[in-house]
Amino acid sequence: MHNSEGVLSGTALIAGWAGSITCTAIGLKKTDTNKIVRTALISSAFFLASLVNIRIGPSSTHLSLLAPVGLILGWSAFPAMLIALFLQAILFHFGGLLVLGANTFIMGLPALIVYIIFGKMIRSENKIFSGVMAFIAGSLAIIMAACLAGVFLGISDRNFIEAAKLLFYAHIPLALIEGAVTSFMIMFLRKTAPEFLS
Amino acid sequence: MTARIFTELMLIFSLFSFSYAHRYFSLKAIAFVKALAALVCVCSPSYVHAHSSRHFSLKAIAIFLALVILVSLCSVSYAHGTGYRHSSLRAIALEFSYSTGEAMSYREARVYSPSDEKFAAQSGRTDEYGRFAFVPNVKGEWRVIVRDEEGHQCEAKINITDEFLSGNQNLTVQADSVNDSGNDSGNEIFIRALLGVSVIFNIALVIRRRHNAQQ
């Protein structure tokens, strides 16, 4: 999911930074300072999730927890992800500093969209419905992020369109895994810490 | 008259050759060159006829030459086929693995020859079992570097001798040194992860303190 440094064109980098700065500014404005520790906790989980490698065939990928971050933090997902991705870039060399804007936008936008669509549904009284919706949210966030990454690659160079298609297919198993993880996390939080979903 | 027949024969021949050109050139480029060739072929006989009924003018000869070159280019491209034969050269096969014993399967591999240490002489990927093979053609120290996406890197150095190249030396060539120079060992990853989490919580703490101070 992380685009590497030097892959995206100037236009794509500028577009990524413009999108992520705007959304981060809105996110900071909407962040409740009283819930800042919760934001830090989820941001840390997102930061650490990248270290959990999942082997898919010849390649390997890692957890991203896009949907849980979006569903729990809402608009605050953008600043939380920006900081986590920045630390991933400097500590683990995932992505890069120039491409940080694009990466934040690619991961932040799906998180925000699933929050808008599924935010209320996962708080439903019906546990099964809530779990299923969380699964769909988790899978959809990954699919959207893969599509968005493909769009950025397509903007950069038309030759990357084939690579973007491969990227999309490679993320389908991860989407299912993320769906299951999101569903489990939401169900667990509903039981143990419902205030996280408030 | 001879000039006209010659030019028209050239036109037919060139258009026929261009019909194979789509394999090697873009369609737009072919359409442009075809149109140009047709225009030249149609116009040049009347030009030749008007200016010199007995001899080719210089311009006409130049045009014919250009056409011949174009046609021959297409013909050369068409003749560029493929083939294979069994190579009697000796290959060196290496197996790469992590310290845990797990094979470095499907990882990027680069081979550096002794003559050029900066640019890889060959690149590719290891197979499912972490194996990679290459065929050295000069003596000296060859390096094979295999790295993964997480920063682990394994470098093998193989000393190739004249005897090995000539096939007289019946020895098993082994990697002289295989170094796992991955910069992220387990402990380092743990420390970095801890540092990252600490930074995130410190940022949160600073924001909270400021907020409280403002209130």
Side-chain angles (χ1 to χ4, degrees), chain A residues 11-77:
Chain A
T11 321
L13 289 176
I14 292 167
W17 274 112
S20 59
I21 286 172
T22 312
C23 293
T24 306
I26 299 170
L28 282 173
K29 250 192 170 181
K30 293 204 171 193
T31 302
D32 183 356
T33 322
N34 294 318
K35 290 177 181 172
I36 196 77
V37 176
R38 190 177 76 176
T39 311
L41 190 71
I42 301 300
S43 182
S44 302
F46 176 73
F47 166 74
L48 293 175
S50 63
L51 297 177
V52 181
N53 275 311
I54 298 167
R55 188 139 187 182
I56 302 170
S59 180
S60 69
T61 184
H62 54 78
L63 279 181
S64 53
L65 303 182
L66 298 185
V69 175
L71 292 170
I72 295 167
L73 298 181
W75 273 98
S76 307

Side-chain angles (χ1 to χ4, degrees), chain A:
Chain A
M1 202 79 70
H2 294 80
N3 277 309
S4 300
E5 205 81 280
V7 174
L8 298 184
S9 68
T11 321
L13 289 176
I14 292 167
W17 274 112
S20 59
I21 286 172
T22 312
C23 293
T24 306
I26 299 170
L28 282 173
K29 250 192 170 181
K30 293 204 171 193
T31 302
D32 183 356
T33 322
N34 294 318
K35 290 177 181 172
I36 196 77
V37 176
R38 190 177 76 176
T39 311
L41 190 71
I42 301 300
S43 182
S44 302
F46 176 73
F47 166 74
L48 293 175
S50 63
L51 297 177
V52 181
N53 275 311
I54 298 167
R55 188 139 187 182
I56 302 170
S59 180
S60 69
T61 184
H62 54 78
L63 279 181
S64 53
L65 303 182
L66 298 185
V69 175
L71 292 170
I72 295 167
L73 298 181
W75 273 98
S76 307
F78 264 97
M81 280 184 177
L82 182 68
I83 292 169
L85 287 172
F86 169 75
L87 289 170
Q88 281 179 359
I90 58 167
L91 293 173
F92 302 126
H93 311 293
F94 291 162
L97 292 180
L98 274 176
V99 83
L100 180 64
N103 281 341
T104 308
F105 193 71
I106 288 168
M107 297 192 208
L109 194 65
L112 186 65
I113 292 172
V114 295
Y115 165 71
I116 293 166
I117 300 173
F118 298 97
K120 279 184 184 167
M121 293 183 190
I122 57 144
R123 289 163 180 87
S124 153
E125 292 293 314
N126 189 336
K127 277 184 188 175
I128 297 169
F129 177 74
S130 167
V132 171
M133 285 302 118
F135 179 86
I136 297 171
S139 305
L140 197 66
I142 297 295
I143 301 270
M144 281 193 287
C147 290
L148 214 52
V151 169
F152 270 85
L153 287 172
I155 292 172
S156 302
D157 194 333
R158 283 193 150 225
N159 294 327
F160 283 148
I161 292 174
E162 280 305 310
K165 279 183 194 167
L166 277 177
L167 187 81
F168 176 78
Y169 294 132
H171 277 85
I172 292 174
L174 178 68
L176 298 174
I177 295 166
E178 283 267 336
V181 171
T182 309
S183 183
F184 175 77
M185 274 183 80
I186 297 299
M187 298 301 277
F188 182 75
L189 285 176
R190 272 174 68 108
K191 254 190 182 178
T192 55
E195 66 274 12
F196 264 66
L197 300 172
S198 62

